[in-house]
PDB file of all heavy atoms in Angstrom:
ATOM      1  N   VAL A   1      -2.141 280.628  42.070  1.00  0.00           N
ATOM      2  CA  VAL A   1      -3.416 280.867  42.741  1.00  0.00           C
ATOM      3  C   VAL A   1      -4.588 280.324  41.937  1.00  0.00           C
ATOM      4  O   VAL A   1      -5.565 279.816  42.495  1.00  0.00           O
ATOM      5  CB  VAL A   1      -3.598 282.383  43.010  1.00  0.00           C
ATOM      6  CG1 VAL A   1      -4.997 282.672  43.534  1.00  0.00           C
ATOM      7  CG2 VAL A   1      -2.553 282.873  43.992  1.00  0.00           C
ATOM      8  N   ASP A   2      -4.514 280.408  40.603  1.00  0.00           N
ATOM      9  CA  ASP A   2      -5.632 279.925  39.796  1.00  0.00           C
ATOM     10  C   ASP A   2      -5.738 278.397  39.768  1.00  0.00           C
ATOM     11  O   ASP A   2      -6.683 277.844  39.218  1.00  0.00           O
ATOM     12  CB  ASP A   2      -5.562 280.478  38.377  1.00  0.00           C
ATOM     13  CG  ASP A   2      -4.281 280.068  37.640  1.00  0.00           C
ATOM     14  OD1 ASP A   2      -3.485 279.312  38.222  1.00  0.00           O
ATOM     15  OD2 ASP A   2      -4.085 280.524  36.496  1.00  0.00           O
ATOM     16  N   GLN A   3      -4.766 277.695  40.360  1.00  0.00           N
ATOM     17  CA  GLN A   3      -4.839 276.236  40.466  1.00  0.00           C
ATOM     18  C   GLN A   3      -5.516 275.782  41.759  1.00  0.00           C
ATOM     19  O   GLN A   3      -5.754 274.594  41.950  1.00  0.00           O
ATOM     20  CB  GLN A   3      -3.433 275.623  40.400  1.00  0.00           C
ATOM     21  CG  GLN A   3      -2.783 275.687  39.023  1.00  0.00           C
ATOM     22  CD  GLN A   3      -1.384 275.102  39.037  1.00  0.00           C
ATOM     23  OE1 GLN A   3      -0.507 275.557  39.770  1.00  0.00           O
ATOM     24  NE2 GLN A   3      -1.169 274.086  38.216  1.00  0.00           N
ATOM     25  N   VAL A   4      -5.829 276.732  42.634  1.00  0.00           N
ATOM     26  CA  VAL A   4      -6.503 276.388  43.883  1.00  0.00           C
ATOM     27  C   VAL A   4      -7.975 276.119  43.587  1.00  0.00           C
ATOM     28  O   VAL A   4      -8.654 276.959  42.994  1.00  0.00           O
ATOM     29  CB  VAL A   4      -6.386 277.536  44.911  1.00  0.00           C
ATOM     30  CG1 VAL A   4      -7.095 277.146  46.211  1.00  0.00           C
ATOM     31  CG2 VAL A   4      -4.924 277.871  45.165  1.00  0.00           C
ATOM     32  N   PRO A   5      -8.501 274.942  43.955  1.00  0.00           N
ATOM     33  CA  PRO A   5      -9.904 274.613  43.658  1.00  0.00           C
ATOM     34  C   PRO A   5     -10.864 275.632  44.258  1.00  0.00           C
ATOM     35  O   PRO A   5     -10.658 276.113  45.377  1.00  0.00           O
ATOM     36  CB  PRO A   5     -10.093 273.232  44.315  1.00  0.00           C
ATOM     37  CG  PRO A   5      -8.714 272.666  44.403  1.00  0.00           C
ATOM     38  CD  PRO A   5      -7.810 273.837  44.647  1.00  0.00           C
ATOM     39  N   ALA A   6     -11.899 275.955  43.509  1.00  0.00           N
ATOM     40  CA  ALA A   6     -12.904 276.899  44.004  1.00  0.00           C
ATOM     41  C   ALA A   6     -13.722 276.283  45.138  1.00  0.00           C
ATOM     42  O   ALA A   6     -14.149 276.975  46.063  1.00  0.00           O
ATOM     43  CB  ALA A   6     -13.821 277.328  42.866  1.00  0.00           C
ATOM     44  N   GLU A   7     -13.919 274.966  45.071  1.00  0.00           N
ATOM     45  CA  GLU A   7     -14.697 274.267  46.099  1.00  0.00           C
ATOM     46  C   GLU A   7     -13.771 273.426  46.968  1.00  0.00           C
ATOM     47  O   GLU A   7     -12.995 272.618  46.462  1.00  0.00           O
ATOM     48  CB  GLU A   7     -15.750 273.360  45.450  1.00  0.00           C
ATOM     49  CG  GLU A   7     -16.765 274.093  44.574  1.00  0.00           C
ATOM     50  CD  GLU A   7     -17.728 274.940  45.379  1.00  0.00           C
ATOM     51  OE1 GLU A   7     -17.939 274.624  46.564  1.00  0.00           O
ATOM     52  OE2 GLU A   7     -18.256 275.921  44.820  1.00  0.00           O
ATOM     53  N   ILE A   8     -13.841 273.645  48.270  1.00  0.00           N
ATOM     54  CA  ILE A   8     -13.058 272.867  49.233  1.00  0.00           C
ATOM     55  C   ILE A   8     -14.011 271.941  49.981  1.00  0.00           C
ATOM     56  O   ILE A   8     -14.959 272.410  50.616  1.00  0.00           O
ATOM     57  CB  ILE A   8     -12.328 273.777  50.249  1.00  0.00           C
ATOM     58  CG1 ILE A   8     -11.511 274.859  49.532  1.00  0.00           C
ATOM     59  CG2 ILE A   8     -11.455 272.939  51.180  1.00  0.00           C
ATOM     60  CD1 ILE A   8     -10.336 274.354  48.755  1.00  0.00           C
ATOM     61  N   THR A   9     -13.779 270.646  49.889  1.00  0.00           N
ATOM     62  CA  THR A   9     -14.664 269.682  50.542  1.00  0.00           C
ATOM     63  C   THR A   9     -14.374 269.614  52.039  1.00  0.00           C
ATOM     64  O   THR A   9     -13.229 269.402  52.450  1.00  0.00           O
ATOM     65  CB  THR A   9     -14.488 268.285  49.933  1.00  0.00           C
ATOM     66  OG1 THR A   9     -14.776 268.340  48.534  1.00  0.00           O
ATOM     67  CG2 THR A   9     -15.425 267.275  50.596  1.00  0.00           C
ATOM     68  N   ILE A  10     -15.422 269.810  52.832  1.00  0.00           N
ATOM     69  CA  ILE A  10     -15.325 269.715  54.292  1.00  0.00           C
ATOM     70  C   ILE A  10     -16.272 268.619  54.761  1.00  0.00           C
ATOM     71  O   ILE A  10     -17.447 268.616  54.385  1.00  0.00           O
ATOM     72  CB  ILE A  10     -15.709 271.048  54.974  1.00  0.00           C
ATOM     73  CG1 ILE A  10     -14.838 272.190  54.458  1.00  0.00           C
ATOM     74  CG2 ILE A  10     -15.604 270.927  56.498  1.00  0.00           C
ATOM     75  CD1 ILE A  10     -13.383 272.093  54.826  1.00  0.00           C
ATOM     76  N   GLU A  11     -15.751 267.688  55.572  1.00  0.00           N
ATOM     77  CA  GLU A  11     -16.579 266.583  56.047  1.00  0.00           C
ATOM     78  C   GLU A  11     -16.462 266.430  57.553  1.00  0.00           C
ATOM     79  O   GLU A  11     -15.503 266.908  58.169  1.00  0.00           O
ATOM     80  CB  GLU A  11     -16.153 265.269  55.375  1.00  0.00           C
ATOM     81  CG  GLU A  11     -16.330 265.256  53.859  1.00  0.00           C
ATOM     82  CD  GLU A  11     -15.839 263.956  53.241  1.00  0.00           C
ATOM     83  OE1 GLU A  11     -15.014 263.278  53.896  1.00  0.00           O
ATOM     84  OE2 GLU A  11     -16.276 263.628  52.127  1.00  0.00           O
ATOM     85  N   ARG A  12     -17.457 265.750  58.122  1.00  0.00           N
ATOM     86  CA  ARG A  12     -17.395 265.373  59.530  1.00  0.00           C
ATOM     87  C   ARG A  12     -16.696 264.020  59.631  1.00  0.00           C
ATOM     88  O   ARG A  12     -17.123 263.057  58.987  1.00  0.00           O
ATOM     89  CB  ARG A  12     -18.808 265.233  60.102  1.00  0.00           C
ATOM     90  CG  ARG A  12     -19.510 266.554  60.369  1.00  0.00           C
ATOM     91  CD  ARG A  12     -18.995 267.203  61.630  1.00  0.00           C
ATOM     92  NE  ARG A  12     -19.857 268.308  62.049  1.00  0.00           N
ATOM     93  CZ  ARG A  12     -19.591 269.062  63.097  1.00  0.00           C
ATOM     94  NH1 ARG A  12     -18.501 268.853  63.817  1.00  0.00           N
ATOM     95  NH2 ARG A  12     -20.397 270.046  63.427  1.00  0.00           N
ATOM     96  N   PRO A  13     -15.613 263.884  60.407  1.00  0.00           N
ATOM     97  CA  PRO A  13     -14.958 262.577  60.563  1.00  0.00           C
ATOM     98  C   PRO A  13     -15.915 261.569  61.176  1.00  0.00           C
ATOM     99  O   PRO A  13     -16.802 261.933  61.964  1.00  0.00           O
ATOM    100  CB  PRO A  13     -13.799 262.881  61.512  1.00  0.00           C
ATOM    101  CG  PRO A  13     -13.549 264.344  61.381  1.00  0.00           C
ATOM    102  CD  PRO A  13     -14.899 264.943  61.142  1.00  0.00           C
ATOM    103  N   LYS A  14     -15.759 260.301  60.812  1.00  0.00           N
ATOM    104  CA  LYS A  14     -16.627 259.263  61.368  1.00  0.00           C
ATOM    105  C   LYS A  14     -16.435 259.137  62.870  1.00  0.00           C
ATOM    106  O   LYS A  14     -17.362 258.831  63.608  1.00  0.00           O
ATOM    107  CB  LYS A  14     -16.345 257.925  60.679  1.00  0.00           C
ATOM    108  CG  LYS A  14     -16.757 257.891  59.214  1.00  0.00           C
ATOM    109  CD  LYS A  14     -16.477 256.536  58.591  1.00  0.00           C
ATOM    110  CE  LYS A  14     -16.910 256.519  57.120  1.00  0.00           C
ATOM    111  NZ  LYS A  14     -16.627 255.206  56.478  1.00  0.00           N
ATOM    112  N   SER A  15     -15.212 259.361  63.340  1.00  0.00           N
ATOM    113  CA  SER A  15     -14.930 259.285  64.772  1.00  0.00           C
ATOM    114  C   SER A  15     -14.631 260.678  65.316  1.00  0.00           C
ATOM    115  O   SER A  15     -13.789 261.393  64.765  1.00  0.00           O
ATOM    116  CB  SER A  15     -13.724 258.372  65.038  1.00  0.00           C
ATOM    117  OG  SER A  15     -13.329 258.448  66.396  1.00  0.00           O
ATOM    118  N   PRO A  16     -15.290 261.102  66.411  1.00  0.00           N
ATOM    119  CA  PRO A  16     -15.030 262.414  67.015  1.00  0.00           C
ATOM    120  C   PRO A  16     -13.578 262.592  67.448  1.00  0.00           C
ATOM    121  O   PRO A  16     -13.096 263.720  67.566  1.00  0.00           O
ATOM    122  CB  PRO A  16     -15.971 262.445  68.218  1.00  0.00           C
ATOM    123  CG  PRO A  16     -17.048 261.457  67.890  1.00  0.00           C
ATOM    124  CD  PRO A  16     -16.358 260.381  67.110  1.00  0.00           C
ATOM    125  N   GLU A  17     -12.876 261.469  67.679  1.00  0.00           N
ATOM    126  CA  GLU A  17     -11.475 261.534  68.102  1.00  0.00           C
ATOM    127  C   GLU A  17     -10.592 262.165  67.019  1.00  0.00           C
ATOM    128  O   GLU A  17      -9.500 262.660  67.306  1.00  0.00           O
ATOM    129  CB  GLU A  17     -10.955 260.132  68.428  1.00  0.00           C
ATOM    130  CG  GLU A  17     -11.695 259.464  69.594  1.00  0.00           C
ATOM    131  CD  GLU A  17     -11.224 258.033  69.804  1.00  0.00           C
ATOM    132  OE1 GLU A  17     -10.368 257.578  69.016  1.00  0.00           O
ATOM    133  OE2 GLU A  17     -11.717 257.381  70.738  1.00  0.00           O
ATOM    134  N   HIS A  18     -11.058 262.141  65.778  1.00  0.00           N
ATOM    135  CA  HIS A  18     -10.267 262.677  64.675  1.00  0.00           C
ATOM    136  C   HIS A  18     -10.493 264.174  64.451  1.00  0.00           C
ATOM    137  O   HIS A  18      -9.925 264.744  63.515  1.00  0.00           O
ATOM    138  CB  HIS A  18     -10.592 261.911  63.387  1.00  0.00           C
ATOM    139  CG  HIS A  18     -10.187 260.472  63.458  1.00  0.00           C
ATOM    140  ND1 HIS A  18     -10.754 259.504  62.650  1.00  0.00           N
ATOM    141  CD2 HIS A  18      -9.292 259.822  64.249  1.00  0.00           C
ATOM    142  CE1 HIS A  18     -10.223 258.318  62.938  1.00  0.00           C
ATOM    143  NE2 HIS A  18      -9.332 258.500  63.903  1.00  0.00           N
ATOM    144  N   GLY A  19     -11.338 264.769  65.288  1.00  0.00           N
ATOM    145  CA  GLY A  19     -11.569 266.200  65.169  1.00  0.00           C
ATOM    146  C   GLY A  19     -12.991 266.551  64.810  1.00  0.00           C
ATOM    147  O   GLY A  19     -13.859 265.679  64.700  1.00  0.00           O
ATOM    148  N   ASP A  20     -13.235 267.863  64.628  1.00  0.00           N
ATOM    149  CA  ASP A  20     -14.570 268.342  64.280  1.00  0.00           C
ATOM    150  C   ASP A  20     -14.828 268.251  62.776  1.00  0.00           C
ATOM    151  O   ASP A  20     -15.944 267.968  62.344  1.00  0.00           O
ATOM    152  CB  ASP A  20     -14.728 269.797  64.733  1.00  0.00           C
ATOM    153  CG  ASP A  20     -14.553 269.960  66.239  1.00  0.00           C
ATOM    154  OD1 ASP A  20     -15.161 269.173  66.984  1.00  0.00           O
ATOM    155  OD2 ASP A  20     -13.796 270.862  66.657  1.00  0.00           O
ATOM    156  N   TYR A  21     -13.778 268.536  61.995  1.00  0.00           N
ATOM    157  CA  TYR A  21     -13.908 268.525  60.540  1.00  0.00           C
ATOM    158  C   TYR A  21     -12.659 267.918  59.908  1.00  0.00           C
ATOM    159  O   TYR A  21     -11.598 267.852  60.533  1.00  0.00           O
ATOM    160  CB  TYR A  21     -14.104 269.944  59.985  1.00  0.00           C
ATOM    161  CG  TYR A  21     -15.361 270.622  60.461  1.00  0.00           C
ATOM    162  CD1 TYR A  21     -15.304 271.636  61.417  1.00  0.00           C
ATOM    163  CD2 TYR A  21     -16.603 270.261  59.955  1.00  0.00           C
ATOM    164  CE1 TYR A  21     -16.469 272.263  61.865  1.00  0.00           C
ATOM    165  CE2 TYR A  21     -17.769 270.881  60.393  1.00  0.00           C
ATOM    166  CZ  TYR A  21     -17.690 271.880  61.347  1.00  0.00           C
ATOM    167  OH  TYR A  21     -18.834 272.487  61.778  1.00  0.00           O
ATOM    168  N   ALA A  22     -12.809 267.502  58.651  1.00  0.00           N
ATOM    169  CA  ALA A  22     -11.676 266.966  57.894  1.00  0.00           C
ATOM    170  C   ALA A  22     -11.809 267.394  56.438  1.00  0.00           C
ATOM    171  O   ALA A  22     -12.914 267.645  55.943  1.00  0.00           O
ATOM    172  CB  ALA A  22     -11.631 265.446  57.991  1.00  0.00           C
ATOM    173  N   THR A  23     -10.643 267.497  55.763  1.00  0.00           N
ATOM    174  CA  THR A  23     -10.664 267.835  54.341  1.00  0.00           C
ATOM    175  C   THR A  23      -9.616 267.012  53.604  1.00  0.00           C
ATOM    176  O   THR A  23      -8.565 266.649  54.165  1.00  0.00           O
ATOM    177  CB  THR A  23     -10.396 269.339  54.116  1.00  0.00           C
ATOM    178  OG1 THR A  23     -10.390 269.598  52.700  1.00  0.00           O
ATOM    179  CG2 THR A  23      -9.069 269.768  54.699  1.00  0.00           C
ATOM    180  N   ASN A  24      -9.904 266.700  52.352  1.00  0.00           N
ATOM    181  CA  ASN A  24      -8.981 265.927  51.509  1.00  0.00           C
ATOM    182  C   ASN A  24      -8.261 266.817  50.505  1.00  0.00           C
ATOM    183  O   ASN A  24      -7.722 266.346  49.511  1.00  0.00           O
ATOM    184  CB  ASN A  24      -9.741 264.833  50.765  1.00  0.00           C
ATOM    185  CG  ASN A  24     -10.746 265.401  49.760  1.00  0.00           C
ATOM    186  OD1 ASN A  24     -11.008 266.603  49.755  1.00  0.00           O
ATOM    187  ND2 ASN A  24     -11.309 264.555  48.920  1.00  0.00           N
ATOM    188  N   ILE A  25      -8.241 268.129  50.759  1.00  0.00           N
ATOM    189  CA  ILE A  25      -7.703 269.069  49.793  1.00  0.00           C
ATOM    190  C   ILE A  25      -6.246 268.796  49.433  1.00  0.00           C
ATOM    191  O   ILE A  25      -5.818 269.033  48.294  1.00  0.00           O
ATOM    192  CB  ILE A  25      -7.867 270.531  50.298  1.00  0.00           C
ATOM    193  CG1 ILE A  25      -7.488 271.528  49.215  1.00  0.00           C
ATOM    194  CG2 ILE A  25      -7.063 270.742  51.575  1.00  0.00           C
ATOM    195  CD1 ILE A  25      -8.306 271.429  47.965  1.00  0.00           C
ATOM    196  N   ALA A  26      -5.463 268.272  50.386  1.00  0.00           N
ATOM    197  CA  ALA A  26      -4.051 268.001  50.110  1.00  0.00           C
ATOM    198  C   ALA A  26      -3.896 266.954  49.011  1.00  0.00           C
ATOM    199  O   ALA A  26      -2.984 267.039  48.176  1.00  0.00           O
ATOM    200  CB  ALA A  26      -3.341 267.548  51.378  1.00  0.00           C
ATOM    201  N   MET A  27      -4.773 265.966  48.988  1.00  0.00           N
ATOM    202  CA  MET A  27      -4.706 264.927  47.963  1.00  0.00           C
ATOM    203  C   MET A  27      -5.107 265.482  46.599  1.00  0.00           C
ATOM    204  O   MET A  27      -4.585 265.061  45.566  1.00  0.00           O
ATOM    205  CB  MET A  27      -5.592 263.746  48.364  1.00  0.00           C
ATOM    206  CG  MET A  27      -4.969 262.923  49.498  1.00  0.00           C
ATOM    207  SD  MET A  27      -6.014 261.570  50.069  1.00  0.00           S
ATOM    208  CE  MET A  27      -7.011 262.449  51.255  1.00  0.00           C
ATOM    209  N   ARG A  28      -6.005 266.466  46.595  1.00  0.00           N
ATOM    210  CA  ARG A  28      -6.406 267.086  45.328  1.00  0.00           C
ATOM    211  C   ARG A  28      -5.296 267.990  44.774  1.00  0.00           C
ATOM    212  O   ARG A  28      -5.223 268.222  43.571  1.00  0.00           O
ATOM    213  CB  ARG A  28      -7.685 267.900  45.542  1.00  0.00           C
ATOM    214  CG  ARG A  28      -8.899 267.044  45.860  1.00  0.00           C
ATOM    215  CD  ARG A  28     -10.105 267.909  46.166  1.00  0.00           C
ATOM    216  NE  ARG A  28     -10.490 268.735  45.024  1.00  0.00           N
ATOM    217  CZ  ARG A  28     -11.387 269.718  45.098  1.00  0.00           C
ATOM    218  NH1 ARG A  28     -11.971 270.001  46.252  1.00  0.00           N
ATOM    219  NH2 ARG A  28     -11.690 270.427  44.015  1.00  0.00           N
ATOM    220  N   LEU A  29      -4.425 268.477  45.681  1.00  0.00           N
ATOM    221  CA  LEU A  29      -3.347 269.370  45.254  1.00  0.00           C
ATOM    222  C   LEU A  29      -2.044 268.632  44.934  1.00  0.00           C
ATOM    223  O   LEU A  29      -1.080 269.248  44.488  1.00  0.00           O
ATOM    224  CB  LEU A  29      -3.078 270.418  46.346  1.00  0.00           C
ATOM    225  CG  LEU A  29      -4.199 271.438  46.600  1.00  0.00           C
ATOM    226  CD1 LEU A  29      -3.829 272.337  47.769  1.00  0.00           C
ATOM    227  CD2 LEU A  29      -4.469 272.265  45.352  1.00  0.00           C
ATOM    228  N   ALA A  30      -2.042 267.320  45.146  1.00  0.00           N
ATOM    229  CA  ALA A  30      -0.818 266.552  44.920  1.00  0.00           C
ATOM    230  C   ALA A  30      -0.364 266.631  43.462  1.00  0.00           C
ATOM    231  O   ALA A  30       0.824 266.849  43.172  1.00  0.00           O
ATOM    232  CB  ALA A  30      -1.026 265.099  45.334  1.00  0.00           C
ATOM    233  N   ARG A  31      -1.296 266.491  42.541  1.00  0.00           N
ATOM    234  CA  ARG A  31      -0.920 266.506  41.121  1.00  0.00           C
ATOM    235  C   ARG A  31      -0.425 267.889  40.671  1.00  0.00           C
ATOM    236  O   ARG A  31       0.659 267.985  40.078  1.00  0.00           O
ATOM    237  CB  ARG A  31      -2.089 266.048  40.258  1.00  0.00           C
ATOM    238  CG  ARG A  31      -1.799 266.152  38.766  1.00  0.00           C
ATOM    239  CD  ARG A  31      -2.867 265.490  37.930  1.00  0.00           C
ATOM    240  NE  ARG A  31      -2.838 264.038  38.078  1.00  0.00           N
ATOM    241  CZ  ARG A  31      -3.641 263.207  37.426  1.00  0.00           C
ATOM    242  NH1 ARG A  31      -4.544 263.698  36.577  1.00  0.00           N
ATOM    243  NH2 ARG A  31      -3.557 261.901  37.608  1.00  0.00           N
ATOM    244  N   PRO A  32      -1.175 268.980  40.924  1.00  0.00           N
ATOM    245  CA  PRO A  32      -0.669 270.286  40.457  1.00  0.00           C
ATOM    246  C   PRO A  32       0.630 270.725  41.129  1.00  0.00           C
ATOM    247  O   PRO A  32       1.425 271.450  40.518  1.00  0.00           O
ATOM    248  CB  PRO A  32      -1.813 271.251  40.773  1.00  0.00           C
ATOM    249  CG  PRO A  32      -2.649 270.556  41.788  1.00  0.00           C
ATOM    250  CD  PRO A  32      -2.518 269.109  41.503  1.00  0.00           C
ATOM    251  N   THR A  33       0.869 270.288  42.370  1.00  0.00           N
ATOM    252  CA  THR A  33       2.116 270.679  43.045  1.00  0.00           C
ATOM    253  C   THR A  33       3.262 269.731  42.718  1.00  0.00           C
ATOM    254  O   THR A  33       4.447 270.110  42.776  1.00  0.00           O
ATOM    255  CB  THR A  33       1.937 270.699  44.570  1.00  0.00           C
ATOM    256  OG1 THR A  33       1.552 269.390  45.024  1.00  0.00           O
ATOM    257  CG2 THR A  33       0.885 271.711  44.988  1.00  0.00           C
ATOM    258  N   GLY A  34       2.903 268.467  42.403  1.00  0.00           N
ATOM    259  CA  GLY A  34       3.941 267.457  42.189  1.00  0.00           C
ATOM    260  C   GLY A  34       4.517 266.933  43.490  1.00  0.00           C
ATOM    261  O   GLY A  34       5.541 266.237  43.501  1.00  0.00           O
ATOM    262  N   TRP A  35       3.871 267.245  44.593  1.00  0.00           N
ATOM    263  CA  TRP A  35       4.322 266.814  45.910  1.00  0.00           C
ATOM    264  C   TRP A  35       3.471 265.648  46.419  1.00  0.00           C
ATOM    265  O   TRP A  35       2.311 265.502  46.021  1.00  0.00           O
ATOM    266  CB  TRP A  35       4.199 267.947  46.915  1.00  0.00           C
ATOM    267  CG  TRP A  35       5.217 269.026  46.802  1.00  0.00           C
ATOM    268  CD1 TRP A  35       6.150 269.195  45.826  1.00  0.00           C
ATOM    269  CD2 TRP A  35       5.401 270.106  47.726  1.00  0.00           C
ATOM    270  NE1 TRP A  35       6.903 270.307  46.067  1.00  0.00           N
ATOM    271  CE2 TRP A  35       6.469 270.891  47.225  1.00  0.00           C
ATOM    272  CE3 TRP A  35       4.773 270.509  48.892  1.00  0.00           C
ATOM    273  CZ2 TRP A  35       6.916 272.035  47.894  1.00  0.00           C
ATOM    274  CZ3 TRP A  35       5.209 271.639  49.559  1.00  0.00           C
ATOM    275  CH2 TRP A  35       6.276 272.400  49.067  1.00  0.00           C
ATOM    276  N   PRO A  36       4.017 264.845  47.367  1.00  0.00           N
ATOM    277  CA  PRO A  36       3.187 263.837  48.029  1.00  0.00           C
ATOM    278  C   PRO A  36       2.092 264.543  48.838  1.00  0.00           C
ATOM    279  O   PRO A  36       2.335 265.621  49.400  1.00  0.00           O
ATOM    280  CB  PRO A  36       4.175 263.114  48.973  1.00  0.00           C
ATOM    281  CG  PRO A  36       5.519 263.400  48.393  1.00  0.00           C
ATOM    282  CD  PRO A  36       5.434 264.768  47.790  1.00  0.00           C
ATOM    283  N   PRO A  37       0.903 263.964  48.919  1.00  0.00           N
ATOM    284  CA  PRO A  37      -0.198 264.608  49.639  1.00  0.00           C
ATOM    285  C   PRO A  37       0.153 265.002  51.076  1.00  0.00           C
ATOM    286  O   PRO A  37      -0.232 266.075  51.538  1.00  0.00           O
ATOM    287  CB  PRO A  37      -1.305 263.554  49.603  1.00  0.00           C
ATOM    288  CG  PRO A  37      -1.035 262.764  48.373  1.00  0.00           C
ATOM    289  CD  PRO A  37       0.470 262.697  48.280  1.00  0.00           C
ATOM    290  N   ARG A  38       0.892 264.146  51.792  1.00  0.00           N
ATOM    291  CA  ARG A  38       1.212 264.469  53.184  1.00  0.00           C
ATOM    292  C   ARG A  38       2.115 265.703  53.290  1.00  0.00           C
ATOM    293  O   ARG A  38       2.020 266.466  54.259  1.00  0.00           O
ATOM    294  CB  ARG A  38       1.878 263.270  53.880  1.00  0.00           C
ATOM    295  CG  ARG A  38       0.896 262.155  54.247  1.00  0.00           C
ATOM    296  CD  ARG A  38       1.571 261.079  55.094  1.00  0.00           C
ATOM    297  NE  ARG A  38       1.979 261.606  56.390  1.00  0.00           N
ATOM    298  CZ  ARG A  38       1.225 261.591  57.484  1.00  0.00           C
ATOM    299  NH1 ARG A  38       0.000 261.074  57.444  1.00  0.00           N
ATOM    300  NH2 ARG A  38       1.679 262.074  58.620  1.00  0.00           N
ATOM    301  N   GLN A  39       2.970 265.911  52.289  1.00  0.00           N
ATOM    302  CA  GLN A  39       3.823 267.102  52.316  1.00  0.00           C
ATOM    303  C   GLN A  39       2.980 268.361  52.110  1.00  0.00           C
ATOM    304  O   GLN A  39       3.183 269.379  52.782  1.00  0.00           O
ATOM    305  CB  GLN A  39       4.900 266.992  51.233  1.00  0.00           C
ATOM    306  CG  GLN A  39       5.929 268.131  51.264  1.00  0.00           C
ATOM    307  CD  GLN A  39       7.019 267.959  50.223  1.00  0.00           C
ATOM    308  OE1 GLN A  39       7.088 266.928  49.531  1.00  0.00           O
ATOM    309  NE2 GLN A  39       7.892 268.948  50.089  1.00  0.00           N
ATOM    310  N   VAL A  40       2.029 268.283  51.181  1.00  0.00           N
ATOM    311  CA  VAL A  40       1.120 269.407  50.963  1.00  0.00           C
ATOM    312  C   VAL A  40       0.298 269.658  52.225  1.00  0.00           C
ATOM    313  O   VAL A  40       0.137 270.804  52.678  1.00  0.00           O
ATOM    314  CB  VAL A  40       0.163 269.135  49.780  1.00  0.00           C
ATOM    315  CG1 VAL A  40      -0.843 270.275  49.630  1.00  0.00           C
ATOM    316  CG2 VAL A  40       0.936 268.917  48.493  1.00  0.00           C
ATOM    317  N   ALA A  41      -0.205 268.578  52.822  1.00  0.00           N
ATOM    318  CA  ALA A  41      -1.036 268.688  54.021  1.00  0.00           C
ATOM    319  C   ALA A  41      -0.271 269.342  55.165  1.00  0.00           C
ATOM    320  O   ALA A  41      -0.835 270.129  55.929  1.00  0.00           O
ATOM    321  CB  ALA A  41      -1.530 267.306  54.445  1.00  0.00           C
ATOM    322  N   GLY A  42       1.032 269.040  55.269  1.00  0.00           N
ATOM    323  CA  GLY A  42       1.835 269.628  56.340  1.00  0.00           C
ATOM    324  C   GLY A  42       1.904 271.141  56.237  1.00  0.00           C
ATOM    325  O   GLY A  42       1.781 271.853  57.241  1.00  0.00           O
ATOM    326  N   VAL A  43       2.086 271.649  55.028  1.00  0.00           N
ATOM    327  CA  VAL A  43       2.152 273.107  54.815  1.00  0.00           C
ATOM    328  C   VAL A  43       0.813 273.752  55.156  1.00  0.00           C
ATOM    329  O   VAL A  43       0.761 274.776  55.869  1.00  0.00           O
ATOM    330  CB  VAL A  43       2.545 273.415  53.353  1.00  0.00           C
ATOM    331  CG1 VAL A  43       2.438 274.921  53.088  1.00  0.00           C
ATOM    332  CG2 VAL A  43       3.944 272.916  53.054  1.00  0.00           C
TER     333      VAL A  43
END
C-alpha cells in the first residue's frame, strides 16, 4: 500500500471518443509491480 503514489494524474483525452478522463497510473506502477503496464491497467 505504501508504494501507491499519493498523487494520481487525471487528464482529459484529446479526443472525446476515448472517454471523459484518462490516467497513466498503470505505467507508473509497472516498475514497483514488475508487471507490464497493460497488465496492471487491466486489474
Side-chain angles (χ1 to χ4, degrees):
V1 172
D2 60 3
Q3 289 178 301
V4 180
E7 300 289 335
I8 308 292
T9 301
I10 303 293
E11 297 178 338
R12 285 283 193 182
K14 292 181 180 179
S15 172
E17 298 175 358
H18 295 158
D20 300 313
Y21 297 106
T23 178
N24 65 350
I25 188 60
M27 286 177 274
R28 293 176 62 190
L29 293 176
R31 175 171 290 182
T33 60
W35 285 8
R38 284 187 65 91
Q39 185 177 354
V40 176
V43 173

